[in-house]
C-alpha cells in the first residue's frame, strides 16, 4: 500500500477527523490512483489499529533507506537478462 496515502490518513487522525476517501484525497501530497486511496481507507475502516501501529512505529515508514519503485526493479531485472543474453 502506498505510504503517501497512509501519511494522509495519519494527518487526518492527528487532526481528530475520521478518514474518508474525499478527505484523504484532499490531503495527498502527490497524485495517487483512486483505487489505492479507496483500498487504504477501507483498510483503515476494517482495522484501525493498522494505522495506529504505523503511528507508534514510525521507523517502519522512515525514509532512511532508498525506496525502489516497481519500474526501477523491472528495469534492473531486464538489464540483468540482457547482460546474460549478450554473454551467450
Amino acid at each position: 500500500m502506498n505510504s503517501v496515502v497512509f501519511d494522509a490518513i495519519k494527518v487526518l487522525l492527528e487532526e481528530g477527523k475520521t478518514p474518508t476517501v474525499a478527505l484523504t484525497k484532499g490531503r495527498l501530497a502527490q497524485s495517487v490512483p483512486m483505487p489505492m486511496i479507496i483500498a487504504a481507507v477501507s483498510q483503515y475502516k476494517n482495522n484501525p489499529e493498522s494505522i495506529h501501529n504505523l503511528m507508534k512505529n514510525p521507523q517502519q515508514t522512515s525514509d532512511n533507506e532508498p525506496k525502489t519503485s516497481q519500474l526501477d526493479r523491472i528495469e534492473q531485472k531486464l538489464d540483468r537478462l540482457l547482460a546474460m543474453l549478450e554473454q551467450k
Side-chain angles (χ1 to χ4, degrees):
M1 201 58 58
N2 195 329
S3 65
V4 174
V5 179
F6 285 122
D7 290 343
I9 291 173
K10 285 189 248 178
V11 169
L12 289 169
L13 291 172
E14 289 168 357
E15 292 175 357
K17 297 180 181 177
T18 302
T20 63
V21 173
L23 285 175
T24 303
K25 183 175 170 125
R27 299 281 189 221
L28 293 174
Q30 65 188 43
S31 179
V32 175
M34 187 62 77
M36 287 182 120
I37 300 169
I38 294 169
V41 172
S42 295
Q43 180 180 340
Y44 167 74
K45 288 183 178 181
N46 290 332
N47 185 10
E49 290 302 312
S50 64
I51 298 292
H52 294 297
N53 289 338
L54 288 174
M55 290 172 69
K56 291 176 187 173
N57 301 322
Q59 67 271 13
Q60 291 178 350
T61 59
S62 70
D63 293 329
N64 293 341
E65 60 186 55
K67 296 185 179 179
T68 308
S69 71
Q70 185 176 6
L71 180 58
D72 291 336
R73 290 190 306 270
I74 292 170
E75 287 177 348
Q76 290 170 356
K77 287 180 183 179
L78 182 58
D79 289 340
R80 286 194 303 262
L81 288 172
L82 289 172
M84 288 171 53
L85 285 173
E86 289 174 357
Q87 289 176 354
K88 292 185 178 186

